[in-house]
Amino acid sequence: MASLNPVNSFGNFDKNRIMRLAECYTNEFDSSKLRDLICQLDSFIVYARGSDRRFVNLKGISDLAKLLVKSDLHQTWPLVYLLIKLTLILPVATPSVEWAFSSLKYIKNELRNSIGDEFLNGCLVCYVKRKIFTILIVT
């Protein structure tokens, strides 16, 4: 993720690391898209480092995503933009999944250890989304 950081004119840019990150997203990047991403990364970094002064003072990846959308450059490099979006989602998604699994220990204790997956799934949804259920009960 640090390889996409625009600070210091993309000083941490490393195409090999970026490609390894893209390979983790098999649903979004098949083999043909990975080949296209290599080409898009090459042209993107040349453009970002030299052709457009708007890329100079960016503070982070979120600023980069905003600039790409604001300037319609997300259409020029759609795969680079997709990877940037996925990079921005990752820090949010990971704690959400961990929170759901930590909630599981409250639901599946020794007394309920033998319950089926379908019932457990229903209990977990109710526990994780309990604020919604509280609002529905109150109203």
Side-chain angles (χ1 to χ4, degrees), residues 21-35:
L21 176 64
E23 289 168 0
C24 293
Y25 295 103
T26 56
N27 290 337
E28 286 79 14
F29 294 100
D30 58 12
S31 60
S32 65
K33 285 186 179 180
L34 286 172
R35 283 191 305 271

Side-chain angles (χ1 to χ4, degrees), residues 12 20 24 27 31 34 36 41 45-49 56 72 78 82 86 91 95 100 105 117 127 129 135:
N12 290 328
R20 277 188 288 173
C24 293
N27 290 337
S31 60
L34 286 172
D36 293 344
L41 283 170
I45 197 64
V46 168
Y47 182 85
R49 282 182 172 164
V56 173
D72 276 341
L82 174 61
L86 292 170
K105 71 179 177 186
D117 290 339
Y127 182 80
K129 301 297 182 187
I135 292 171

Side-chain angles (χ1 to χ4, degrees), residues 5-132:
N5 196 340
V7 175
N8 296 329
S9 295
F10 294 88
N12 290 328
F13 182 82
D14 184 344
K15 188 166 70 170
N16 293 327
R17 285 185 181 173
I18 294 171
M19 292 307 297
R20 277 188 288 173
L21 176 64
E23 289 168 0
C24 293
Y25 295 103
T26 56
N27 290 337
E28 286 79 14
F29 294 100
D30 58 12
S31 60
S32 65
K33 285 186 179 180
L34 286 172
R35 283 191 305 271
D36 293 344
L37 179 61
I38 291 171
C39 297
Q40 285 188 22
L41 283 170
D42 289 335
S43 65
F44 169 75
I45 197 64
V46 168
Y47 182 85
R49 282 182 172 164
S51 300
D52 196 334
R53 300 294 303 158
R54 294 177 289 185
F55 286 91
V56 173
N57 294 321
L58 298 177
K59 303 279 189 248
I61 297 174
S62 63
D63 289 344
L64 175 61
K66 290 174 190 174
L67 176 63
L68 288 174
V69 171
K70 192 182 298 184
S71 59
D72 276 341
L73 292 172
H74 69 288
Q75 296 176 356
T76 306
W77 299 292
L79 296 176
V80 173
Y81 179 67
L82 174 61
L83 191 58
I84 290 169
K85 283 193 315 186
L86 292 170
T87 302
L88 289 170
I89 291 169
L90 185 63
V92 176
T94 303
S96 298
V97 171
E98 289 176 359
W99 182 66
F101 276 108
S102 69
S103 299
L104 186 64
K105 71 179 177 186
Y106 292 111
I107 294 169
K108 190 155 184 163
N109 56 28
E110 286 183 34
L111 296 174
R112 297 184 187 153
N113 223 4
S114 61
I115 64 176
D117 290 339
E118 188 175 326
F119 182 73
L120 178 64
N121 189 31
C123 289
L124 187 59
V125 169
C126 292
Y127 182 80
V128 171
K129 301 297 182 187
R130 64 185 173 273
K131 289 181 183 177
I132 295 171

